């Protein structure tokens, strides 16, 4: 048997700032919080889900995300359609997020899957993608997976 991913935990520098981003922009619901000054955290999940955490934010980081160190490469969030990807793109642009690529891009040239690639307030690399509907989009690189090198 292969284990399933239970939830993803991210260290953040400022819980309030990160919570606002993941809750208000990406739409995660707050399941629980720790508000003790030295032990601040938030459990996030689906607003219509079963109450299980999907993402946890831990205010423990001293600096921003460093893609040159071992650990998390990026966090990919799946949605059902390219229209939903574009809705998130609009909300993220309104929030002031900068994107790694312009618009929705394919995972590989000719791929049906693809999405948008950006960073959270601490610089953690994020992707919102859909498994199909992106056939007409181009890929930033013909020789490497889009999500691997942003």
């Amino acid at each position: 048997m292969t284990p399933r991913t239970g939830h993803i935990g991210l260290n953040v520098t400022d819980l309030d700032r990160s919570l606002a981003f993941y809750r208000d922009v990406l739409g995660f619901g707050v399941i629980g919080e720790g508000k003790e000054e030295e032990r601040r955290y938030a459990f996030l999940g689906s607003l219509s889900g079963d109450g299980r955490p999907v993402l946890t934010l831990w205010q423990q980081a001293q600096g921003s995300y460093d893609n040159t160190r071992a650990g998390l490469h990026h966090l990919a969030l799946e949605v059902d359609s390219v229209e939903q990807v574009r809705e998130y793109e609009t909300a993220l642009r309104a929030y002031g997020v900068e994107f790694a690529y312009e618009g929705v891009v394919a995972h590989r040239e000719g791929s049906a899957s693809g999405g948008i690639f950006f960073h959270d307030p601490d610089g953690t690399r994020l992707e919102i993608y859909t498994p199909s509907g992106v056939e007409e989009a181009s890929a930033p690189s013909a020789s490497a997976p889009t999500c691997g090198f942003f």
Side-chain angles (χ1 to χ4, degrees):
M1 172 172 56
T2 304
R4 295 178 301 282
T5 302
H7 66 273
I8 304 295
L10 297 178
N11 281 340
V12 300
T13 58
D14 181 332
L15 184 63
D16 294 329
R17 180 183 68 173
S18 293
L19 186 55
F21 177 79
Y22 284 95
R23 181 192 58 220
D24 302 342
V25 182
L26 297 184
F28 284 97
V30 178
I31 296 170
E33 284 185 79
K35 298 182 180 186
E36 212 177 299
E37 190 54 40
E38 296 299 316
R39 297 188 183 273
R40 296 196 63 215
Y41 62 88
F43 294 143
L44 307 178
S46 171
L47 290 173
S48 60
D50 58 8
R52 291 184 347 171
V54 174
L55 183 64
T56 57
L57 304 176
W58 305 95
Q59 185 170 296
Q60 301 181 54
Q62 300 300 311
S64 62
Y65 176 80
D66 182 352
N67 66 358
T68 64
R69 299 183 64 142
L72 179 73
H73 181 275
H74 75 283
L75 177 59
L77 305 167
E78 182 179 331
V79 296
D80 295 327
S81 68
V82 69
E83 291 79 17
Q84 288 176 311
V85 172
R86 289 191 177 109
E87 288 173 15
Y88 278 107
E89 179 184 15
T90 299
L92 289 160
R93 284 193 191 284
Y95 192 77
V97 169
E98 293 184 27
F99 291 81
Y101 310 112
E102 188 56 40
V104 176
V105 296
H107 279 135
R108 288 186 163 256
E109 213 48 61
S111 175
S113 66
I116 55 176
F117 299 83
F118 55 98
H119 299 84
D120 80 356
D122 281 310
T124 301
R125 295 185 286 198
L126 299 172
E127 164 188 3
I128 296 179
Y129 77 97
T130 184
S132 62
V134 186
E135 293 84 357
E136 301 301 317
S138 61
S141 170
S143 63
T146 301
C147 62
F149 300 96
F150 72 100

